[in-house]
Structure formats: C-alpha cells, structure tokens
Amino acid sequence: MIRRRRIALVAAVPGLILLLGAGDVPLSGGLWEIRNTPGVATLDGRELNELPIEPIETQKICISPAEAADPVRFFARDMDEGCTIKSASAAGGKVKIVGTCPNQIEGPDGSFELTGGHSAEAYEIDFATTAFGDNGRMTFSGKLNGRRVGDCPAE
C-alpha cells in the first residue's frame, strides 16, 4: 500500500527549526520502501523473549522533495505526542537524534536515541528507547532501514 505522508514533528520545542537545520546530505524525494525491525527488549536488564512484537512489514511511502530536504524531520516523523528532541544532527550523512518522552505514570521520563547513516538513496538507523514503569526500567532497540525505489506514482 502506498500512502502520502506529511512529515511533521509533533510537540516541537521552541526554536526547533534552527536545531533541525537540513543536513548537507538531503534525501531524494520519491517512493521509498521502509522497514522497521525490532531488536531486543529488556526489563531491568533481563531480556524479554515473550514480548509480543508486531510482524515486520515493509511499507512504501512517497515523500516530496521539500519533505526529503530535512533528514532529521524524516527520521523523527513517528515521535509520540509529547516527546521532545533535545539534540539532532544529520550532517555529512551521519544521523544522531536524542530526546525524551514523558512518562505515562509516576517516574522519570523515558529517552530515545537514533544513530546511523544515510545517503540520498538509502538509510540505516539504529534506535534505542528507555521507559520506566511499574515493573521497572524497560529498554527496546532495533533498526530503521529505507531505500528509494523510484518516483511516486501519479494520482
């Protein structure tokens, strides 16, 4: 299924546009095939094998040249509401985005980090998240991969 995606950061902090300045290696607009692969989940350092993980699916999305011009916005497009980017860079084809997300219960806020690399036609980003709950400290990691596969189909 192909869907058009409006790339926007939710709950942007003041001055975020300056922080997220487009890197010197923009993505190419067009039809992209993306795949998010879950990695390891832990609870207080113990690996969770019983965690229900959604099946890995490959999606195809179209992004405009304007949307592709800012890789940080593209990679951070699925942030949850209320999450805040603390630092972000996509310079020289290297990506690093660090932020926090509010805890839904009593306790410290969670954190996330995206690190990796990209070219105009492909990317590979590692992600790591930490959250705190009634049961303790939970971490989750995985990979975000994408590649440009062509032009967007005409509507």
Side-chain angles (χ1 to χ4, degrees):
M1 168 180 259
I2 299 170
R3 57 185 185 177
R4 297 221 175 250
R5 187 78 162 222
R6 173 179 249 190
I7 307 301
L9 286 175
V10 181
V13 295
L16 191 58
I17 298 302
L18 294 174
L19 177 68
L20 296 180
D24 54 288
V25 180
L27 299 169
S28 295
L31 182 61
W32 281 74
E33 187 174 84
I34 60 172
R35 184 179 183 102
N36 301 339
T37 307
V40 176
T42 66
L43 180 60
D44 288 335
R46 188 182 82 250
E47 191 169 330
L48 296 174
N49 295 322
E50 68 279 0
L51 188 68
I53 295 178
E54 305 258 336
I56 300 167
E57 292 183 10
T58 300
Q59 297 177 314
K60 289 187 178 178
I61 63 170
C62 283
I63 62 171
S64 71
E67 293 167 331
D70 190 342
V72 170
R73 283 186 187 259
F74 178 77
F75 298 129
R77 70 191 178 279
D78 292 329
M79 278 188 353
D80 288 338
E81 189 171 337
C83 294
T84 303
I85 292 177
K86 298 293 184 185
S87 64
S89 172
K94 296 189 184 304
V95 175
K96 183 164 185 172
I97 304 169
V98 177
T100 59
C101 294
N103 196 332
Q104 302 301 314
I105 58 173
E106 295 297 319
D109 287 345
S111 64
F112 66 89
E113 183 170 304
L114 305 171
T115 56
H118 74 92
S119 68
E121 303 288 320
Y123 65 86
E124 184 171 308
I125 308 285
D126 293 315
F127 70 83
T129 64
T130 300
F132 299 90
D134 290 336
N135 296 323
R137 178 179 183 259
M138 184 175 215
T139 64
F140 188 65
S141 64
K143 286 201 176 296
L144 311 172
N145 296 75
R147 66 185 179 98
R148 187 178 184 280
V149 295
D151 294 331
C152 293
E155 287 188 14

